[in-house]
Amino acid sequence: MKTLLDINNGKRVKILKISGGRGIRQHLQCLGIHIGDIVTLKKSSFLGGPVLLEVNGFDVALGRGVASKIEVEELE
């Protein structure tokens, strides 16, 4: 299963699963990220730093630790 860290920039993905505890799921819900949402990965770098997503027309930055807990399916 791929996570957000495995996806190339500019790709659209569907969120399938959020691993982790209640705290991380609540944090992502506050940011508007839910299971089943379709988001676009705008920027992710090899050397670390945040992962930038477009969610419902808004840009959201996630740390790499949080991004590694979001399992996704790549869309065309």
Side-chain angles (χ1 to χ4, degrees), residues 48-72:
V51 174
L52 185 61
L53 300 175
E54 181 179 325
V55 181
N56 299 323
F58 296 97
D59 290 343
V60 176
L62 298 176
R64 298 184 73 77
V66 173
S68 70
K69 297 181 186 299
I70 301 175
E71 296 179 6
V72 297

Side-chain angles (χ1 to χ4, degrees), residues 5 7 9 24 27 30 35 40 43 48 51 57 62-64 75:
L5 298 180
I7 303 298
N9 294 342
I24 190 169
H27 174 66
C30 289
I35 293 174
T40 302
K43 184 176 179 186
V51 174
L62 298 176
R64 298 184 73 77
L75 303 175

Side-chain angles (χ1 to χ4, degrees), residues 15-20 24-25 28 33-35 69-70:
I15 297 175
L16 299 178
K17 182 178 177 185
I18 298 172
S19 302
I24 190 169
R25 287 191 298 250
L28 292 172
I33 299 172
H34 309 92
I35 293 174
K69 297 181 186 299
I70 301 175

